[in-house]
Structures are given as C-alpha cells and as structure tokens.
Amino acid sequence: MLLDAVIIVLRETLEAGVLVSLLLVVGNRFRLELRWLWYALTCGFTGALVYATNLGSVSEWFGYVGQEVVNASMQYTIYLCLLVICWLISSPLRINPRILALFLAVTAALAFIREGTEITVFFMGFLHDEGVRVKAVTSGFIGLMIGVSVGVLCYYAITSVTPRISRLIQMVILILMAAGMVEQATQLLIQADWLPATMPLWDSNGILHEQSLSGQVAYAIFGYEATPTLVEVCFYISAIAFIPMVLLGFRYYLLPVVTEGNKL
Amino acid sequence: MKSIRLYLIVVLLSTICLVNFLAALHGYRNSMAEANQMLDEQLTDMVRLLSLFADDSREVPPNLYPHSVLFQIWNRDTLLKHSPNAPSTVSLPREPGFHMSNHLGVSWRILVYLDEGGQYMIIVGQRADAYAKLIEEIVLESILPIIWVLPILGVLIWLIVSFGLQPLKRLAGLLKERRAGDLEPVAKEGYPLELDIVVASINHLLARLSGAFDREKNFAADAAHELRTPLAALNVGLHNLAAEIDHKNPSLLELQSSVERMGHSIEQIIALYRLTPEKFHNAMTLLDLNTLAKKVIVELYDICRKKNQEIELETEKISIEGDDFAFITLLRNLIDNASKYTPLGGKIFVKINKDGGNAILTVEDSGPGISEAYHGRVFDRFYRVGGDRHDSKVIGCGLGLSIVERIVRLHQGRIELSRSDTLGGLAVRVILPLRQDRAVGVDL
C-alpha cells in the first residue's frame, strides 16, 4: 500500500513538478513576475477540489466515460497551450509578456487540476479509515517531496547551463512534454472506446519499467509508455512533428508576410 | 540564479529529500523482497511437514499450523484434508509453484506442490498482508523521523549557508559602504581562498582606476597652470594693442572678451582642482559668514555698480566651521553668477540666517532664473543652459555651480534651486550644518 500510494502521488507530482519548473524557467527568461504562478496555483487547487468532489457525476457524462473525456480534453488543451508557448518564446517578433504569462498560467492551472484531482480522489478514499490514514499521508508526502525535489533540481539544472543550451533544452522538453500529453490523452480516449484499441506494438518494461523511478521520470518528461499501441505511437509522433512544423512554417512563410505588411 | 543563499538552501534540501526518500523506498522494496523470500521458505517447510500426512489417515493436528495458514491435500481430484479456513472446492491455484491469490477477501501467498508420482497435491497458503503490514510499519517508523526532521534540517542548512556566506556578505558590505571617491585597496586579510582572487582583482582594478583619475585631474590642473603664463602675456599684448589702435575696434573688443573668458575658465578649473577631496586642505576653522559675505560683496561691488544693480545683504551673526578659501569661492561664484544673469538695474538679495542646527545662505536675483527642468543638470561640469547658444551673452564656462555644489558637499551641506518669490529670478539656497562631523567623509 505504501509503495502504491507513493507511486500514484509521485506519478502526478513528478509530471506537474517538471512542467512547472520548465514554465518557471521560461517565465524567468522573459522576466515575468511570479503572479501567474500564484493564480495558477489558486485556480489549480480550487479546480482540483471541485473536480474531485464532483467526479461521480462527471464520470456519468458521455455514456459513463466523462472522466476520461474531460481529462483527455484538459491534456489536449495543455498541448495547445504548450504549442503557443513554444511559438511565443521562439518568435523573432517582440512578444507581449502578458500573453505569455496568461498561457503559462493556464497550462500550469490545468496541470494542477488534472494531477491534483487524481491525488485528491486517492486520498479521499482513506479519509475515514483511521488505520491507514497516517500511512497514506506519509506515502503522499514522500511522493510529493520526490516530485517537488525533482522539479526544483530540474529548474536549477536548466538555469545553470549557458543561455543558448538552456533555450534548446527548454524547447526540446516543452515539445516532448506536449507530445507526452497527447499520448496520455490518446490512451484515455482508447479507454473510453472513442479511439480503436489495438495490440501493443512492443513491451519495453524489460528495459525501463514503467513503475520504476526512472520510468516515472521518463513518463513525466516525455510520456513514456512501455506498451504503446499503434494509435498512441501515431498520435505521439504527429504531436512531436506538428510543433516544429508550425514554428518553421511561421518563420519562413508567415513572418516575411507580417514584416512586409508592417513596412507598408 | 537570483540568490546564492536561496539556491544553496533549496538545492540542498531538495537533494536531501530526494536521496533520503529514494533510499527509504529502496529499503522498503528490499525488505519486501526479503519478507517474501522468508514467506516462501516458510511455505516450503509447511509443504514438507504436510507431505507426511498425505498418505496417512491421521488428521493434521491444529497446533502444527498457525491460524494465518491454509492448506489442502489432494489425491488427484479428491480433497483428502484441508484446514478450516481453506475452501473445500477447487478455487485455489493448482499449477505447481508460487502464486498470489485472493481468498476470503484478502491476499494469500500460495505454494502448490505436486509429488513426484503426480498423485498427491499439497496447496499451502499464508496471508500475504501479514508480513507486508509489519514491514510497512517498520519502514514507516524509519521514514517518519526523516519527515519530522526536515524543517530542522532546513533551519540548520539556512544557518550553515548563512555562516558560509559571511565573508562574501562582509566584502559586499565593505564595497557598498565605501565612498565613491575612496580608491584605497580592500584589506586582503580574513577572506577564504575562493574570495582571495576576487579581492585581488578588485584591488588591481581600484589601483588602475586611481591612476587614471590622478592622470586626468593632474592633466586638467597642469594644463590650466601652464596656460596662466601665456594668458598673462596675451593680456599685456592686448593692453598695448588697445593703446596703439582704437580701443573700440570691434575685433579688439571680441579678442578682449575671449581672453577674459579664457582667463575665467582657467581660474575656475584651478579652483575646481583645489576642491577635489585629495587637494582639499580640510583646514576647518571657525568662519564668520557675515564678514565673509561682506568681503565678497565689496570685491564684486564694482561689477554690480557697472550694471547699475542693487545688492542687499541681510545677515545674522553666524559662525560656521569651514574652509576659508572654499567659502569665499562659494560666495563669489553665487553672487557673481547672480550679477551676471541679472539685467541692468536689477536687484540681488543675499541673506544669511540660522535655522535649527543649520546656517542658511540664500542668494536671489531678478534675472530670468533657471527652468526647473534644468535644475538637475546645472551642477554638471561645463554644462550651461542652452549650451554655446546661451542667450545671456555673459562670460561663463559652466563650472560655477559645479564648484559651489562641490564646496557644499565638502561641508556636508545641501543646495536647492528655486524661483525667487520676491525678485522673480533664481533663488539659490545653501543649507550648511553649523557643526560638522569630521569623521564623515566626502562623497564626490
């Protein structure tokens, strides 16, 4: 039970920790105040609490697959937000810091809602069981602290390298995390029977087990899945390829038109 | 990295958390593996024991197995014996080897043994959660102190990091409190090895800066001194020329004006040089401001008279600690400036009074004044409102107010510019403390 609880909390906090540390690096790079994070934290935790307490009725939506569909929608939204963030931070045009802060806040808030809901639901199950309450809280704390610690170390690791390498790392991890969101959302839609379920293409548990800490870190950073199906792989690759395509398309096709228009 | 202290505290705490909790999880996993191994060995022993009863008509005595153990002894498809908590049906796994199985709502570790002839099958099971619960409690007992100790660890790290950063803080404080003009080297003693190179670099930089400043100051002063002699010769030549040609010749007048302006500039540069902190004698004596003001007004009276200007002095008997030369220069510059920019027939008002612990010197005129937008800049060296296109047509080089401001600062006072309420022109207010703290240095 102890290990299971740690793994459940760790899985959620690790992903949120790495994502938020990356968003913080981006925010610092553009000298944004931390206000966006406080808004995201407030909205995220309130949203998680509301979502967790109404999970029963949400689950009944769309023919009893409401939870999967809502979670998948949040993850697709995070993907779109990360796409916009990638575009904003790589654009040669002067960006409006408020717009960037807004997208950072929405991304972080959605991540907090999603991860917070899972943790809240897990712990709500132990609230009335005095025998396991201490064990559950301790396990949760361990998972939370490991997740937060990895996030903090990630933040300082990314900021300690040269600005050029830091920018490259930011972009790569943002794209991988965005693709990871799509992969998880696709998995949920397969569970909801909205997408076809097929046999796994491979099983890499022998190389990197999903439940190990390294597996959890890999899951948090790039949505590692040891037994992916064809649909998941297709969505994952498309999600990775789509962001650079949008950025390059903007730079080489739209930007000359925009700058030409401004000159006129 | 915004703060080294914050970085060290957060990174150290995060690393300690990560390492400790991962070690605890690793320990938990190892303990669980060992517990499972013990459980398996216990089940194997039970199978050996029960095999003695397989082809025996005797019942297995209840004292041979604990209540947390279940067993079944099968002769092919016939159940021969079983414990009271075991099912009498084929609901447990039947493949030889170890299994995990749910029975009576709890998890059981099951060992299925088939004898060599394949006739007897012995199934033994033990509650898996019994050991797991025990191990979880042991691990929890070892983890809880780590959690409780985290805040204490945080405080300790904070104290240790603060202590470690003391030399850096001391050096930063020393540099922050240093006066702008102080280019003395920083004391090298008492710094750790890591800061030695920083202190050495700072001292090297300060030495280079000091040398550059000295060269710059000496150059200006030496140049001014060197120019005095040819200027004197030029004045004599001009005087002779004026005697030889018409003294109202426009070219001669222009030349005289330029030479006068050059002489004024040279004198002002020399005065400025004498008032640098290094050259300032700081020969503080008790000065009678009233007498000094009268003396300067008498000196400049001719200039005012030529412009038909009225000059008034209102003064109290005030003594102040200061440098004689500096105060005369200050008064001369202020009154001379007022006279220069006041039109013919205008008025100049000089007032010296006491206000609390300060002496207040006010010089007001009926000239055009200085727009508030320029108040911050008129103290810059060689700055004149309007630059070379100054419309007052008066001789000046833009050093007068700069010199005044330096003298005021040398005497730990302050200077304020405003519009004169009574005369409409510029009002210069100099506030000087009557008692000066000699220990306080001069920031220039």
Side-chain angles (χ1 to χ4, degrees):
Chain A
M1 183 262 161
L2 188 75
L3 195 65
D4 293 341
V6 172
I7 294 289
I8 287 170
V9 177
L10 180 62
R11 203 179 163 91
E12 308 305 333
T13 53
L14 205 56
E15 192 179 302
V18 174
L19 180 63
V20 171
S21 70
L22 200 65
L23 298 181
L24 270 172
V25 174
V26 171
N28 277 0
R29 185 173 138 195
F30 289 88
R31 300 181 192 287
L32 299 180
E33 286 177 19
L34 276 181
R35 214 179 305 161
W36 66 268
L37 185 63
W38 304 129
Y39 287 141
L41 275 169
T42 314
C43 294
F45 287 121
T46 315
L49 211 62
V50 172
Y51 187 27
T53 46
N54 294 291
L55 203 60
S57 46
V58 173
S59 300
E60 290 170 11
W61 298 352
F62 309 108
Y64 292 93
V65 288
Q67 193 188 343
E68 284 81 0
V69 174
V70 171
N71 282 353
S73 315
M74 279 198 273
Q75 276 164 318
Y76 283 130
T77 314
I78 293 177
Y79 174 79
L80 290 176
C81 287
L82 290 176
L83 169 70
V84 176
I85 290 169
C86 284
W87 173 70
L88 286 171
I89 64 172
S90 64
S91 169
L93 298 174
R94 195 174 168 180
I95 62 159
N96 185 342
R98 282 186 169 190
I99 294 176
L100 180 62
L102 176 73
F103 277 96
L104 294 181
V106 172
T107 312
L110 285 173
F112 288 139
I113 292 175
R114 209 175 61 81
E115 318 294 2
T117 306
E118 308 260 342
I119 296 171
T120 313
V121 168
F122 177 75
F123 282 106
M124 273 162 74
F126 298 110
L127 268 182
H128 307 292
D129 191 344
E130 213 167 301
V132 290
R133 199 185 294 159
V134 176
K135 215 180 280 183
V137 171
T138 311
S139 318
F141 185 75
I142 293 172
L144 179 76
M145 288 314 285
I146 294 177
V148 171
S149 301
V150 170
V152 166
L153 295 177
C154 263
Y155 171 82
Y156 281 112
I158 299 171
T159 49
S160 64
V161 293
T162 58
R164 198 177 162 189
I165 296 174
S166 173
R167 280 198 292 273
L168 184 71
I169 294 173
Q170 287 166 42
M171 187 56 84
V172 170
I173 302 182
L174 277 174
I175 293 174
L176 287 176
M177 288 198 87
M181 293 292 162
V182 168
E183 195 268 333
Q184 289 173 35
T186 310
Q187 218 173 35
L188 287 170
L189 291 185
I190 291 172
Q191 278 175 33
D193 274 340
W194 280 35
L195 285 172
T198 52
M199 288 300 287
L201 285 181
W202 63 75
D203 184 354
S204 55
N205 267 318
I207 304 164
L208 183 59
H209 202 282
E210 266 184 30
Q211 298 300 315
S212 67
L213 183 75
S214 340
Q216 294 297 320
V217 173
Y219 170 84
I221 294 175
F222 55 88
Y224 171 70
E225 167 67 46
T227 52
T229 63
L230 181 66
V231 178
E232 287 172 53
V233 172
C234 288
F235 269 74
Y236 186 75
I237 292 172
S238 311
I240 285 190
F242 186 63
I243 297 177
M245 273 167 57
V246 169
L247 301 185
L248 290 173
F250 175 77
R251 180 162 285 204
Y252 293 106
Y253 294 101
L254 276 176
L255 189 65
V257 178
V258 172
T259 44
E260 199 62 36
N262 285 346
K263 278 179 197 169
L264 290 172
Chain B
M1 191 193 307
K2 278 182 186 166
S3 153
I4 298 176
R5 184 202 302 256
L6 186 70
Y7 167 77
L8 288 175
I9 293 170
V10 172
V11 169
L12 281 174
L13 259 181
S14 302
T15 312
I16 289 169
C17 275
L18 196 62
V19 171
N20 267 323
F21 291 144
L22 287 182
L25 286 184
H26 185 70
Y28 173 76
R29 276 189 164 173
N30 282 353
S31 307
M32 287 299 279
E34 276 187 27
N36 283 336
Q37 201 181 338
M38 278 171 64
L39 192 61
D40 292 351
E41 282 168 7
Q42 210 175 4
L43 289 174
T44 312
D45 288 344
M46 282 298 299
V47 163
R48 279 197 204 109
L49 183 69
L50 289 169
S51 64
L52 299 174
F53 295 89
D55 54 356
D56 201 324
S57 57
R58 286 177 301 160
E59 279 299 316
V60 182
N63 60 342
L64 280 184
Y65 56 91
H67 67 277
S68 60
V69 168
L70 63 80
F71 71 86
Q72 287 177 328
I73 302 174
W74 294 81
N75 182 356
R76 298 195 191 279
D77 291 334
T78 312
L79 181 63
L80 298 176
K81 293 161 192 172
H82 68 93
S83 60
N85 55 353
S88 53
T89 54
V90 191
S91 59
L92 294 171
R94 291 180 69 84
E95 280 289 307
F98 290 100
H99 305 271
M100 289 301 291
S101 178
N102 280 323
H103 172 60
L104 299 173
V106 288
S107 186
W108 295 77
R109 181 76 169 166
I110 304 283
L111 173 60
V112 181
Y113 170 78
L114 193 64
D115 74 342
E116 282 175 4
Q119 188 186 353
Y120 294 108
M121 177 183 279
I122 301 170
I123 301 173
V124 185
Q126 181 149 11
R127 278 182 69 159
D129 63 333
Y131 273 103
K133 203 175 170 186
L134 186 68
I135 288 163
E136 276 183 358
E137 273 163 16
I138 293 168
V139 171
L140 207 63
E141 287 299 315
S142 61
I143 291 175
L144 278 174
I146 301 176
I147 296 174
W148 298 136
V149 96
L150 273 179
I152 301 168
L153 207 61
V155 174
L156 278 177
I157 290 175
W158 183 78
L159 287 173
I160 292 166
V161 167
S162 300
F163 182 74
L165 288 174
Q166 275 298 319
L168 193 61
K169 200 178 165 188
R170 187 152 45 91
L171 179 64
L174 213 68
L175 294 174
K176 193 180 168 189
E177 282 168 16
R178 185 170 267 250
R179 299 187 301 271
D182 184 1
L183 297 176
E184 285 296 308
V186 178
K188 281 182 187 174
E189 294 74 29
Y191 291 107
L193 202 65
E194 291 80 0
L195 281 181
D196 258 0
I197 191 160
V198 178
V199 175
S201 300
I202 290 171
N203 283 344
H204 181 65
L205 196 69
L206 284 173
R208 286 183 59 191
L209 205 59
S210 173
F213 275 157
D214 284 347
R215 280 194 296 279
E216 187 244 344
K217 281 172 198 161
N218 290 338
F219 173 77
D222 290 349
H225 272 292
E226 287 302 316
L227 284 172
R228 263 181 165 174
T229 316
L231 191 71
L234 202 60
N235 267 323
V236 173
L238 266 177
H239 184 75
N240 293 340
L241 193 64
E244 285 167 23
I245 63 169
D246 177 16
H247 68 277
K248 284 186 179 171
N249 183 302
S251 299
L252 181 70
L253 290 173
E254 184 73 22
L255 200 59
Q256 275 175 333
S257 164
S258 296
V259 169
E260 195 183 335
R261 183 173 171 170
M262 192 193 287
H264 178 76
S265 297
I266 287 168
E267 291 308 319
Q268 291 284 53
I269 289 170
I270 291 169
L272 197 65
Y273 176 64
R274 280 188 67 178
L275 292 165
T276 54
E278 297 81 7
K279 300 285 173 189
F280 185 59
H281 299 303
N282 211 13
M284 297 289 193
T285 50
L286 206 58
L287 304 171
D288 180 0
L289 273 186
N290 180 27
T291 314
L292 283 182
K294 280 178 186 164
K295 187 178 165 186
V296 172
I297 288 171
V298 169
E299 269 178 34
L300 298 173
Y301 188 73
D302 254 6
I303 298 170
C304 297
R305 195 173 53 84
K306 275 179 192 168
K307 292 180 81 176
N308 202 21
Q309 290 165 341
E310 187 185 315
I311 183 160
E312 187 185 338
L313 172 68
E314 183 186 313
T315 177
E316 293 174 24
K317 182 89 177 158
I318 293 174
S319 295
I320 188 167
E321 268 193 6
D323 181 84
D324 188 35
F325 167 78
F327 264 100
I328 289 176
T329 309
L330 180 142
L331 284 161
R332 191 182 287 140
N333 269 306
L334 286 179
I335 298 169
D336 189 36
N337 253 12
S339 169
K340 271 179 190 170
Y341 296 104
T342 300
L344 296 171
K347 279 186 178 176
I348 299 164
F349 177 61
V350 181
K351 183 180 175 185
I352 297 169
N353 64 310
K354 208 186 282 185
D355 182 14
N358 293 321
I360 316 283
L361 163 68
T362 313
V363 179
E364 296 178 42
D365 63 53
S366 57
I370 298 174
S371 162
E372 207 172 319
Y374 298 109
H375 282 186
R377 292 216 57 195
V378 288
F379 298 112
D380 293 348
R381 278 187 282 173
F382 298 107
Y383 180 80
R384 298 190 78 198
V385 177
D388 291 340
R389 289 169 296 172
H390 199 276
D391 52 8
S392 61
K393 310 283 184 218
V394 295
I395 292 170
C397 59
L399 281 174
L401 280 176
S402 177
I403 291 169
V404 168
E405 196 241 1
R406 179 166 289 185
I407 293 167
V408 171
R409 276 207 278 163
L410 282 168
H411 290 86
Q412 297 154 33
R414 63 179 201 276
I415 185 164
E416 291 167 0
L417 299 182
S418 60
R419 182 160 287 281
S420 166
D421 292 333
T422 48
L423 301 178
L426 180 68
V428 182
R429 200 170 129 90
V430 174
I431 299 126
L432 295 160
L434 289 169
R435 279 183 167 276
Q436 291 180 23
D437 179 7
R438 283 168 193 251
V440 174
V442 182
D443 282 345
L444 287 172

